[in-house]
Amino acid sequence: MSATTPLSEESLHPRLEAAMAQVNRVLLGKPRQVKLAFTCLVAGGHLLLEDVPGVGKTTLAHALAATFALDFQRVQFTSDLLPSDIIGVSVFERETGQFRFHPGPIFTGLLLADEINRATPKTQSALLEAMAEGQVTVDGQTHTLAQPFFVVATQNPLDLHGTFPLPDSQLDRFMLRVSLDYPDAAAERALLSGSDRRDLLAQLTPQLDAPSLEALHRQAQGITASAALLDYLQALLMASRRHADIRVGLSPRAGLALLGAARAWALLSGRGHVLPEDIQALFVPLAAHRLVPSRGASGDALARALLADTAVD
């Protein structure tokens, strides 16, 4: 079936499973991380991939764009990158006597912001409006981005040379932060003995398209979340705001993101309702980069502690 052929609601899930299987054939041994990435896109969020170079972050972004038939642009973030290199610039045309806007690479379906924390905070902030509102403003004029629009950013650990920490407002725009980590022995052997990843990427075929992704998003929004489930979610939010080692807890926007991601995770799991296990599977990838510790503890450790200390009624 062509990715451009309209799909009924009943046929979306099998195509979604085929899409995930295709990406898993490229990114070996990482089924959980692939499911997290799909959850983020189905929920309409942006994805931050944080890890050391060479573990497949860029490969995952390419595979997602090819599998969903999304227009793709890649921007290599460097210390001398300017905001106009991302969003575009207005150029004066002598013939017409007017300024004409020349769109930058942000006008695409999936933007890979590669090594985003190698750029200065000024350049990083060029993504804020686009990620939050689906538009950019240049010289007082607003330009709407095509939908769907996703940012998949890769980030090197902050202890590597030449990196700038992402501001809290930038981190909050990313629904999930995922670490790919090193492959296990079996996956690495298959990687070493298999085809070049670039050749595999070139062979990928669209399994779904942008309208199908929008349909999946609408379907996920209809997944049931019970009152008891919302009680559990709120308890986690409140615990993050009261914890002695957390200076800034989770915002209401983070709560909405967690609920949206949980609904998408449930959809990917073939269910029509959200379980507490869905919240637990997503809480660390969603919350850890949003928590601001008051002491030396990491966001990941604090998020795991919140999960352990918050009971499910």
Side-chain angles (χ1 to χ4, degrees), residues 69 97 121 137 144 161 182 190 212 251 266 309:
T137 302
T144 302
H161 179 69
Y182 294 111
S212 301
S251 67
D309 296 341

Side-chain angles (χ1 to χ4, degrees), residues 237-253:
L237 297 179
M238 293 304 299
S240 75
R241 300 164 190 168
R242 296 170 177 170
H243 198 286
D245 293 333
I246 299 175
R247 181 162 54 88
V248 179
L250 298 175
S251 67
R253 179 162 60 186

Side-chain angles (χ1 to χ4, degrees), residues 54-277:
V55 294
K57 302 186 298 293
T58 303
T59 298
L60 175 57
H62 278 281
L64 290 171
T67 298
F68 283 102
L70 296 170
D71 293 334
F72 178 82
Q73 292 283 347
R74 174 181 177 176
V75 177
Q76 186 66 47
F77 278 57
T78 57
S79 59
D80 59 350
L81 190 73
L82 299 175
S84 58
D85 295 328
I86 302 171
I87 63 178
V89 64
S90 294
V91 177
F92 182 75
E93 294 184 337
R94 186 178 303 174
E95 297 79 5
T96 63
Q98 296 178 333
F99 284 90
R100 180 184 176 191
F101 178 64
H102 291 256
I106 202 169
F107 288 84
T108 187
L110 191 151
L111 175 71
L112 171 58
D114 210 5
E115 296 185 306
I116 187 173
N117 60 333
R118 289 198 179 277
T120 62
K122 178 180 180 179
T123 300
Q124 294 173 13
S125 67
L127 295 173
L128 290 177
E129 182 183 13
M131 295 174 69
E133 303 174 36
Q135 64 182 34
V136 296
T137 302
V138 181
D139 298 329
Q141 186 174 359
T142 299
H143 305 271
T144 302
L145 300 175
Q147 295 299 318
F149 167 71
F150 302 103
V151 173
V152 176
T154 69
Q155 174 172 254
N156 295 325
L158 293 178
D159 56 353
L160 292 186
H161 179 69
T163 58
F164 299 85
L166 269 65
D168 294 341
S169 58
Q170 179 74 73
L171 286 170
D172 191 49
R173 298 301 197 274
F174 289 102
M175 176 176 280
L176 299 179
R177 186 192 66 176
V178 176
S179 175
L180 295 183
D181 206 355
Y182 294 111
D184 60 26
E188 190 162 32
R189 176 57 64 91
L191 181 66
L192 292 171
S193 59
S195 301
D196 189 283
R197 298 299 102 179
R198 289 170 294 184
D199 295 335
L200 291 179
L201 286 172
Q203 297 169 13
L204 295 182
T205 58
Q207 301 297 314
L208 292 163
D209 56 10
S212 301
L213 188 52
E214 292 281 10
L216 285 167
H217 178 61
R218 292 191 299 271
Q219 193 173 338
Q221 289 178 314
I223 297 292
T224 301
S226 67
L229 189 283
L230 295 179
D231 288 341
Y232 177 53
L233 191 155
Q234 280 192 287
L236 287 168
L237 297 179
M238 293 304 299
S240 75
R241 300 164 190 168
R242 296 170 177 170
H243 198 286
D245 293 333
I246 299 175
R247 181 162 54 88
V248 179
L250 298 175
S251 67
R253 179 162 60 186
L256 289 170
L258 180 55
L259 179 59
R263 282 175 162 146
W265 184 272
L267 176 68
L268 290 170
S269 303
R271 282 184 277 102
H273 58 280
V274 181
L275 296 175
E277 289 83 351

